Amino acid sequence: DARVTQTPRHKVTEMGQEVTMRCQPILGHNTVFWYRQTMMQGLELLAYFRNRAPLDDSGMPKDRFSAEMPDATLATLKIQPSEPRDSAVYFCASGLGLLNSGNTIYFGEGSWLTVV
Amino acid sequence: AQTVTQSQPEMSVQEAETVTLSCTYDTSENNYYLFWYKQPPSRQMILVIRQEAYKQQNATENRFSVNFQKAAKSFSLKISDSQLGDTAMYFCAFMKLSPLVFGKGTRLSVIA
């Protein structure tokens, strides 16, 4: 059963520490997304990649967040330094093909981040 | 930019009854895609149903169906024979040449 895999599932860290979240997209999917979910803002797009190239990261605070795809099977989202306002659930999602193809986007189970 | 509006923050329904969740969106596009995702307490985002705007026929998936009104830009979700396991947040989402844009969600509680 193909699925998007995210690690860690839960993370509690102190303010100022570096946090790295990892995502393994579904094999063969060439588009990867990072979303953040908070009570106040709902689901927000942070960044997305196609064929490992970043297409849009305008939703990401550039001073502390970075997203990369070192290879087709791994996407990373890094926060350095972390702040309490970064506490949220971070979702990775993947899909196949162009966005105008309407192909379904599949989500991982999320990484719950708490920054104290 | 496209926007998606879910006007019902919370709803409840008795088990075995039918409930309809509302969603409206704003776009100037003609062809696009609409989705409903379910998020149970586990926070997993689960696709419930999808609709292509160029298709007039409303999508159905077992107990879940949509009422797609393109002219009105409305995309409601009907859940028939509600079950306790349907208790979740439900998100309406739009996609066209850009990643999924989500509404704020509707929290549905199914009551025994």
Side-chain angles (χ1 to χ4, degrees):
Chain A
D1 187 24
R3 62 179 66 184
V4 177
T5 303
Q6 289 186 245
T7 57
R9 290 296 316 281
H10 297 87
K11 175 76 174 180
V12 180
T13 191
E14 292 184 347
M15 182 173 61
Q17 295 297 306
E18 178 180 297
V19 176
T20 298
M21 288 168 274
R22 293 177 174 81
C23 168
Q24 181 176 1
I26 292 174
L27 187 64
H29 281 190
N30 63 344
T31 309
V32 176
F33 308 85
W34 284 105
Y35 282 88
R36 176 172 64 183
Q37 185 178 29
T38 61
M39 288 292 293
M40 294 299 295
Q41 301 298 326
L43 281 153
E44 305 172 281
L45 178 72
L46 296 176
Y48 79 102
F49 297 77
R50 176 167 300 119
N51 297 325
R52 296 176 55 200
L55 292 189
D56 184 358
D57 61 1
S58 58
M60 225 165 49
K62 300 293 191 302
D63 56 338
R64 298 184 299 108
F65 283 62
S66 61
E68 296 179 346
M69 279 201 75
D71 61 59
T73 64
L74 177 64
T76 62
L77 179 67
K78 186 177 296 185
I79 308 174
Q80 168 63 24
S82 58
E83 297 181 1
R85 59 179 168 156
D86 301 330
S87 297
V89 182
Y90 291 82
F91 287 100
C92 177
S94 72
L96 180 63
L98 299 175
L99 291 173
N100 61 2
S101 66
N103 288 327
T104 298
I105 307 301
Y106 295 90
F107 284 76
E109 294 181 307
S111 291
W112 298 48
L113 174 65
T114 302
V115 183
V116 299
Chain B
Q2 287 82 11
T3 59
V4 177
T5 302
Q6 294 179 249
S7 59
Q8 305 150 315
E10 294 188 22
M11 294 189 71
S12 62
V13 61
Q14 291 285 335
E15 196 175 7
E17 296 295 309
T18 296
V19 64
T20 299
L21 309 183
S22 301
C23 172
T24 58
Y25 56 93
D26 186 24
T27 184
S28 57
E29 300 286 346
N30 188 43
N31 293 319
Y32 46 87
Y33 304 87
L34 296 163
F35 303 82
W36 279 98
Y37 279 86
K38 169 185 176 181
Q39 188 179 46
S42 67
R43 293 282 189 142
Q44 174 77 49
M45 293 288 287
I46 303 166
L47 177 67
V48 175
I49 200 164
R50 68 192 294 271
Q51 174 82 42
E52 293 90 346
Y54 61 84
K55 289 186 178 179
Q56 292 186 333
Q57 186 173 5
N58 289 325
T60 63
E61 285 288 340
N62 301 313
R63 298 182 294 108
F64 298 88
S65 61
V66 298
N67 182 7
F68 173 49
Q69 301 290 327
K70 191 173 182 179
K73 298 180 183 176
S74 171
F75 183 59
S76 60
L77 175 69
K78 185 172 81 171
I79 306 174
S80 304
D81 185 25
S82 297
Q83 300 176 358
L84 296 178
D86 295 333
T87 293
M89 283 287 288
Y90 287 82
F91 292 94
C92 179
F94 173 101
M95 184 164 74
K96 169 65 176 184
L97 295 179
S98 63
L100 287 166
V101 176
F102 288 92
K104 294 292 188 185
T106 295
R107 183 177 302 280
L108 176 68
S109 297
V110 180
I111 303 166

